Amino acid sequence: MNYKKLFHFVEVKRMEKIKFSNTGYKVTYRSEKIFFLPREYQLFKFLYQNPSRIFSREDLLDAVWPMEDPVDRTVDDHIYRVRKKIEPLSSMVKIETIRGQGYLLSTKEVHESPLLKDNEVSTQVKSLFHKYHLYGQGDALKLLEENQNAFGFQIDLPNLLYLHFMKGNFSWFLEEPEISFWEKCFYLLHIYSFIESDKMQCLDYFTCALSAEEIPEYYRLEMKLLNRLYLLIFTKQLDEATTLLHQSKKEIEEKNIKGFVPLILLSELYIALLQKNFQKIEERMEETKKALVNYPYLRENADFSIIKGIYSLLKKNESKAEDYIDEGFQLLQEAKFIPGMIININMILFYLEEFGMNGRLQTYYQELKKKYIQEYKLNELHSKIEIQLKYHLK
């Protein structure tokens, strides 16, 4: 997704929310970070999730201290400490005392930044976002996402979808009913392909989606030039893959789609590895190495390192292969690009089977794949996504 149409920003008026950390007892709002003790955190979260409701001390004890026998002043003391800690958020949230009844959390709508209407800021941030995406700067993208209002811009839907995909928040794509299937289709296809063993089935779905008029144009180009190509390689349809490769390469050069240049070179390497053509692999390795000097994208460098590892496996040098692959995964972790981790695990297992290497490494990467499947609930998502794909694309 490196083409211009994806990177545009629109004004979306919405109420900014406080974010509760999944690890530790921290909340964030714009640039503010507030750290709580465990019970303070639970108390504030409960009140925040139930705004404008009055809770008696007994209600709060039942909600936050179940199965315990705290002293009478417990709630009052914790309310006092929470109030002190959330003072930096006083412009948008407040805990009120309702005499004789209990406590209530009230929220205020925060005025949106006037920078949202500043075209110069929007253009500059758009360019910055595009660069961070292109170069695989996951931390920077997350900071932009979390501080949109503070920076004075809003991320549009296509970019929002990409950010959730990048972070591995795959369940989100099925939990947002207001977003149409066709807006999500591109990502649903990818998530489905992570776990579906029948790659011909995946290829069929991509082909059907590509022919559908409802697919947004900003996804169509990548599906046409790259996604089908990868699946033709995975299904070992090398003649068709080579034909599509030449067509894609020509179109990428004609349209000067710079972000696709390293990806098409990596595709050539995948084909050469399947053909076990050592001379061709060496030539493509050198060409890709030179290209990545001009296009130093983190994710593509990670993929190239893993390809060098796969080539080392083909040459029966397992120790060198592991070093290259470890380096590639480290780069993907730096990019905060979870899909890349899963894609490359699948790629390694594919070539291990192709090279007839069924020993320790295969067992290791099978276990690693199971870990990611469990962590990101891919088995559960697979069946739910398949229902949608069958309905819309068959």
Side-chain angles (χ1 to χ4, degrees), residues 139-185:
D139 281 332
L141 287 171
K142 288 171 71 176
L143 281 171
L144 281 178
E145 178 196 11
E146 292 167 359
N147 296 279
Q148 294 173 60
N149 239 49
F151 290 136
F153 74 98
Q154 295 284 359
I155 295 176
D156 68 355
L157 179 58
N159 284 319
L160 185 63
L161 291 166
Y162 170 74
L163 286 168
H164 280 283
F165 183 69
M166 177 197 84
K167 295 185 292 185
N169 191 7
F170 304 135
S171 298
W172 181 86
F173 290 88
L174 295 171
E175 294 167 355
E176 292 293 327
E178 294 181 8
I179 302 174
S180 75
F181 167 81
W182 296 107
E183 286 285 355
K184 298 184 289 188
C185 178

Side-chain angles (χ1 to χ4, degrees), residues 259-273:
F260 284 2
V261 171
L263 295 170
I264 207 70
L265 290 170
L266 293 170
S267 300
E268 289 185 278
L269 275 168
Y270 291 135
I271 292 174
L273 283 166

Side-chain angles (χ1 to χ4, degrees), residues 14 16-17 19 28-33 113 115-116 121 125 129 139-155 163:
R14 64 184 184 188
E16 241 187 320
K17 293 183 179 180
K19 296 180 178 66
T28 57
Y29 178 76
R30 296 186 180 178
S31 61
E32 295 287 349
K33 291 182 175 63
S113 170
L115 292 174
L116 289 170
V121 170
V125 175
F129 192 100
D139 281 332
L141 287 171
K142 288 171 71 176
L143 281 171
L144 281 178
E145 178 196 11
E146 292 167 359
N147 296 279
Q148 294 173 60
N149 239 49
F151 290 136
F153 74 98
Q154 295 284 359
I155 295 176
L163 286 168

Side-chain angles (χ1 to χ4, degrees), residues 80-94:
Y80 173 80
R81 294 204 296 269
V82 170
R83 278 175 172 160
K84 295 289 287 184
K85 290 186 176 182
I86 65 171
E87 280 181 2
L89 311 181
S90 59
S91 63
M92 58 88 62
V93 66
K94 179 182 179 183

Side-chain angles (χ1 to χ4, degrees), residues 24-256:
Y25 303 102
K26 179 182 74 174
V27 301
T28 57
Y29 178 76
R30 296 186 180 178
S31 61
E32 295 287 349
K33 291 182 175 63
I34 298 173
F35 296 88
F36 293 100
L37 295 174
R39 293 301 187 194
E40 295 170 354
Y41 176 87
Q42 292 168 17
L43 176 60
F44 179 60
K45 187 174 184 180
F46 176 76
L47 289 169
Y48 185 76
Q49 291 176 339
N50 297 278
S52 302
R53 287 181 56 187
I54 300 172
F55 291 98
S56 67
R57 289 180 180 84
E58 290 74 19
D59 293 332
L60 295 175
L61 286 172
D62 289 342
V64 181
W65 289 269
M67 310 300 292
E68 294 184 30
D69 189 22
V71 299
D72 293 341
R73 293 283 307 170
T74 296
V75 172
D76 295 341
D77 290 343
H78 278 74
I79 289 287
Y80 173 80
R81 294 204 296 269
V82 170
R83 278 175 172 160
K84 295 289 287 184
K85 290 186 176 182
I86 65 171
E87 280 181 2
L89 311 181
S90 59
S91 63
M92 58 88 62
V93 66
K94 179 182 179 183
I95 298 176
E96 301 177 28
T97 300
I98 309 301
R99 188 176 295 275
Q101 298 184 60
Y103 298 101
L104 171 149
L105 184 139
S106 59
T107 59
K108 301 176 185 176
E109 186 170 350
V110 179
H111 295 294
E112 67 179 24
S113 170
L115 292 174
L116 289 170
K117 296 181 172 64
D118 189 307
N119 290 331
E120 183 181 358
V121 170
S122 177
T123 300
Q124 289 174 350
V125 175
K126 175 183 71 173
S127 176
L128 189 63
F129 192 100
H130 172 66
K131 289 292 185 182
Y132 285 154
H133 168 269
L134 196 60
Y135 285 87
Q137 301 301 302
D139 281 332
L141 287 171
K142 288 171 71 176
L143 281 171
L144 281 178
E145 178 196 11
E146 292 167 359
N147 296 279
Q148 294 173 60
N149 239 49
F151 290 136
F153 74 98
Q154 295 284 359
I155 295 176
D156 68 355
L157 179 58
N159 284 319
L160 185 63
L161 291 166
Y162 170 74
L163 286 168
H164 280 283
F165 183 69
M166 177 197 84
K167 295 185 292 185
N169 191 7
F170 304 135
S171 298
W172 181 86
F173 290 88
L174 295 171
E175 294 167 355
E176 292 293 327
E178 294 181 8
I179 302 174
S180 75
F181 167 81
W182 296 107
E183 286 285 355
K184 298 184 289 188
C185 178
F186 178 81
Y187 294 104
L188 294 175
L189 286 167
H190 279 80
I191 298 165
Y192 180 77
S193 71
F194 293 163
I195 188 63
E196 175 56 51
S197 58
D198 185 352
K199 300 306 177 188
M200 281 298 299
Q201 180 67 59
C202 297
L203 179 59
D204 288 344
Y205 280 133
F206 267 96
T207 303
C208 289
L210 186 58
S211 64
E213 294 181 0
E214 296 91 341
I215 284 286
E217 286 300 318
Y218 42 76
Y219 297 133
R220 191 180 299 277
L221 191 62
E222 186 167 339
M223 294 173 67
K224 174 186 174 185
L225 300 181
L226 294 172
N227 299 147
R228 289 188 66 254
L229 177 57
Y230 292 146
L231 286 166
L232 285 169
I233 295 169
F234 256 125
T235 53
K236 295 189 266 191
Q237 300 179 69
L238 296 189
D239 289 339
E240 288 186 48
T242 303
T243 299
L244 180 56
L245 174 69
H246 293 317
Q247 293 171 354
S248 297
K249 198 169 184 178
K250 182 180 178 182
E251 188 167 344
I252 288 167
E253 289 172 355
E254 288 174 350
K255 294 182 177 178
N256 194 28

